[in-house]
Amino acid sequence: MSQRTDRPPSSTAAPRPRKTYRHGDLRAALIEAGLALAREGGPQAVVLREATRRAGVSPNAAYRHFANHQALFEAVRAASLGALAHAMEIELQTAEALPDPTERARAMLAAIGRGYLGFAQAETGWFRTAFAFGAFDVEVPPDPARTADKGLNPFELLSHALDTLVQAGVLPAERRPGAEFLAWSSVHGLALLIIDGPLRHAPQDMRVALGLRLLRMVEDGL
C-alpha cells in the first residue's frame, strides 16, 4: 500500500477573532472563542466565562444560546470533530482520484488513518476535545457540525472507506462487520502514544514510519 510521507500533518486555520457581532452571531462567536480555547489548552480550557470574555460580552449573554458550560462544550466538541473530518477529507482527495478501484480503495483507507494521525499531532487541543469526557458516541443523531464537505463525521468517513474496500473486493464482505472499530482503535491508540505517551518525544521520521507500518498492518489484519 503506497503512502505519502513527506507532507506535514493536516491542520485547520485558526478562528479569527472579531470585534463586533451582528444580531444572531453571538452563538457562533462563542463557539469560535471556545475553539480557540480548546486549540490552546484542550478540553479543560473551554470555560464559559472565558469564552464570553473573548467574545466581548457578559457571561449572562451566553445563556441565551447555551444553557450551561456543558452545552457550549458539546458545541465546541462537535466543531472539533468537524475539523477532524475536514483534515481526513483533505487526505482523501488524492486517493479518490485514483483510477484503479483496488488501488483507490486501499489508498482511501490509508488516507483516513493518515488524516487522523496528522490531525492528532497538528491540532492536539482539538483532538483531545473531540474525544474527551465520554466524547463521541457513534449512535448520536446526525449533526452537521461534526462533518465536513461530504456530510460524514470521522467515524462515517472510516466506514465509507471500509465499504469501498468491500466493493473493490479487497475486504471480504463477511469480515466487514465491526471492522471500523478494529481500525479505529489501532490508529487512535498510536495517536495517543504520540501525543500523550512514550512516543511524544520521538523524532518525526520515526512517527511517520510507525504510522505507515500501522496502516499496512490494519489493512492486512482486517
Side-chain angles (χ1 to χ4, degrees):
M1 177 169 51
S2 176
Q3 305 288 334
R4 296 173 61 181
T5 63
D6 55 345
R7 67 167 59 188
S10 301
S11 185
T12 305
R16 298 173 63 182
R18 292 177 285 181
K19 300 299 184 184
T20 60
Y21 303 100
R22 300 186 303 274
H23 179 69
D25 275 0
L26 181 54
R27 185 179 190 277
L30 289 169
I31 294 173
E32 184 178 279
L35 277 169
L37 290 168
R39 193 176 212 180
E40 295 164 11
Q44 294 84 359
V46 183
V47 177
L48 185 61
R49 182 172 293 275
E50 177 61 16
T52 59
R53 188 191 70 79
R54 292 195 178 199
V57 298
S58 69
N60 285 340
Y63 294 113
R64 292 198 295 269
H65 301 279
F66 299 103
N68 50 37
H69 163 265
Q70 188 62 29
L72 172 64
F73 181 80
E74 290 301 333
V76 173
R77 184 211 306 284
S80 298
L81 284 162
L84 172 57
H86 177 70
M88 295 163 76
E89 286 188 6
I90 289 175
E91 293 291 342
L92 271 175
Q93 290 175 357
T94 301
E96 289 178 323
L98 295 173
D100 180 74
T102 298
E103 184 181 358
R104 179 169 63 248
R106 287 176 169 158
M108 285 175 60
L109 181 63
I112 289 293
R114 191 168 57 244
Y116 195 95
L117 290 170
F119 184 83
Q121 295 172 75
E123 299 292 357
T124 303
W126 285 350
F127 184 81
R128 289 182 174 135
T129 300
F131 297 104
F133 313 136
F136 178 33
D137 189 334
V138 298
E139 301 298 331
V140 297
D143 182 353
R146 297 170 180 252
T147 72
D149 292 342
K150 291 182 180 295
L152 303 175
N153 66 40
F155 180 77
E156 291 167 336
L157 285 169
L158 172 58
S159 297
H160 170 59
L162 291 168
D163 289 342
T164 303
L165 279 177
V166 174
Q167 294 162 8
V170 178
L171 177 65
E174 64 272 16
R175 289 164 57 184
R176 173 64 183 85
E180 51 267 271
F181 297 105
L182 300 175
W184 190 5
S185 61
S186 298
V187 177
H188 189 78
L190 180 58
L192 292 181
L193 289 175
I194 289 173
I195 65 174
D196 288 327
L199 295 176
R200 63 189 182 279
H201 300 306
Q204 181 61 22
D205 58 348
M206 179 180 179
R207 297 182 184 190
V208 170
L210 289 172
L212 295 180
R213 290 183 63 183
L214 178 73
L215 295 175
R216 285 193 293 268
M217 184 185 76
V218 167
E219 181 188 328
D220 292 343
L222 290 175

